[in-house]
Structures are given as C-alpha cells and as structure tokens.
C-alpha cells in the first residue's frame, strides 16, 4: 500500500462474519505512532450500516493497532472528544488490514461482537457478550475465533481499566491535533 500522509482520506470498513456488511465511515489520516495508525472523524460525520446510521456528536479518533503479532491486534479503538456519549469504545475484531480501493486507503476488520467500553464515569465493561453467543451459533464462528475474541476483550478491558497505553490518554494529543489543523503532532 502507498504510504499515507496526514490529511489523506481513509475509509473504515467493518464487516460481520461471512462478509456481511457492517459499519462504514470516512475519516482523515492523522499520523502514526508506536501504538498504530490514527484516523480522525469530525463531529457531524455519518457512519452507516445496513438499516442504521449514526451521526458523530463529537470529534473522534480511531486507533488501528500497529503491525505485529496478529494475536495481539484483534481490536480497533475509538476515543471520543469531551462531552461525547462515552470516552472509549474498543471493538474486538480480526486483525485490521489496509488496502487501496478505488484510490482511497481503506482499513478493514471483521467485527467479532464484543466491545470494551469506558463510560463517562470511568466505569469499564465488556459489552455484547449475548451477541457473541448468538452469532457463535447462527454464523458458526470457529472456536479459535471465539477464544481469541474473548481473550482479547479480557486483555483490553484490563488495559483500559488500568489506563495502560494506548488507553492512558495517548489519544488526547490526536484529538487536539484533529481539532486544530490536521498536521501530525509528532
């Protein structure tokens, strides 16, 4: 893939198991650091999936984990600017991959239902365990995929709870940079 530059358009494409469409949205590449690639989404951005859409009430930045061991990369994190509905939302996914489609950089991952959420009060929880149980049967998730999603959710929940990087406030500089001028803050 061609190297991205701050300000380049990025499309995020999440699917569900067996290539079922899920959330899609457009953002701006902000830059990379030791944690991975950062994508900005402005307040008012529309995110859509079949049968639903969502308009972002505040700026958000998404972190796509850095290259490395795929057993540690099965997630995509979204950090909300102040006054958003939540602070942090982490989707458990297959390891994200980058592609260029029709000249636009695209990151893709399969959403594996489980999410780790930090609410505005600081409470951290794993969400959608019921959805994982249902889809495990309905969509015939392989046992190793389920085991990885559960283990990743537990690991990410501990990292978010303990404020371990990148869940330690690392996103704040990217949120500030995204709101200001779109230039890599490093």
């Amino acid at each position: 893939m061609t190297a991205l530059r701050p300000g380049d358009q990025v499309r995020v494409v999440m699917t569900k198991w067996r290539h079922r469409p899920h959330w899609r949205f457009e953002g701006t590449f902000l830059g990379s650091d030791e944690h991975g690639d950062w994508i900005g989404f402005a307040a008012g951005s529309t995110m859509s999936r079949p049968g639903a859409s969502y308009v972002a009430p505040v700026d958000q930045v998404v972190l796509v984990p850095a290259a490395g061991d795929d057993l540690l990369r099965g997630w995509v994190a979204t950090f909300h600017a102040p006054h958003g509905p939540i602070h942090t939302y982490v989707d458990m996914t297959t390891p994200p991959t980058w592609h260029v489609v029709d000249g636009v950089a695209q990151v893709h991952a399969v959403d594996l239902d489980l999410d780790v959420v930090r609410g505005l009060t600081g409470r951290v929880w794993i969400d959608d365990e019921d959805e994982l149980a249902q889809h495990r049967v309905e969509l015939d998730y392989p046992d190793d995929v389920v085991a990885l999603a559960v283990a990743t959710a537990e690991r990410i929940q501990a990292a978010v709870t303990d404020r371990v990087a990148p869940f330690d406030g690392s996103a704040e500089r990217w949120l500030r940079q995204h709101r200001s001028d779109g230039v890599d803050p490093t």
Side-chain angles (χ1 to χ4, degrees), residues 118-149:
R118 178 187 294 281
L120 297 178
T121 65
R123 179 175 157 253
V124 178
W125 68 94
I126 296 176
D127 198 21
D128 292 334
E129 292 168 304
D130 56 336
E131 189 176 326
L132 176 67
Q134 177 184 351
H135 287 163
R136 179 180 195 171
V137 173
E138 287 179 0
L139 301 176
D140 196 29
Y141 285 3
D143 289 341
D144 61 328
V145 169
V146 172
L148 183 58

Side-chain angles (χ1 to χ4, degrees), residues 6-70:
D8 285 351
Q9 178 185 3
V10 174
R11 180 175 300 128
V12 176
V13 177
M14 302 290 282
T15 59
K16 286 290 192 176
W17 198 251
R18 295 191 177 169
H19 309 288
R20 291 178 31 236
H22 197 45
W23 290 107
R24 298 188 101 176
F25 43 98
E26 307 277 333
T28 303
F29 182 72
L30 300 174
S32 301
D33 64 13
E34 67 274 17
H35 306 301
D37 299 314
W38 294 87
I39 305 165
F41 301 90
S45 295
T46 300
M47 301 166 190
S48 62
R49 70 176 190 193
S53 66
Y54 175 77
V55 176
V58 297
D59 290 344
Q60 301 170 34
V61 292
V62 168
L63 173 60
V64 178
D69 184 348
D70 276 352

Side-chain angles (χ1 to χ4, degrees), residues 43-124:
S45 295
T46 300
M47 301 166 190
S48 62
R49 70 176 190 193
S53 66
Y54 175 77
V55 176
V58 297
D59 290 344
Q60 301 170 34
V61 292
V62 168
L63 173 60
V64 178
D69 184 348
D70 276 352
L71 294 176
L72 302 176
R73 299 184 61 250
W75 55 273
V76 174
T78 303
F79 302 89
H80 294 248
H83 310 295
I86 57 173
H87 183 273
T88 306
Y89 193 93
V90 187
D91 289 287
M92 299 314 107
T93 68
T94 58
T97 58
W98 285 94
H99 310 278
V100 175
V101 178
D102 297 327
V104 176
Q106 179 173 293
V107 63
H108 174 261
V110 177
D111 183 299
L112 297 174
D113 306 319
L114 295 179
D115 309 299
V116 173
V117 182
R118 178 187 294 281
L120 297 178
T121 65
R123 179 175 157 253
V124 178

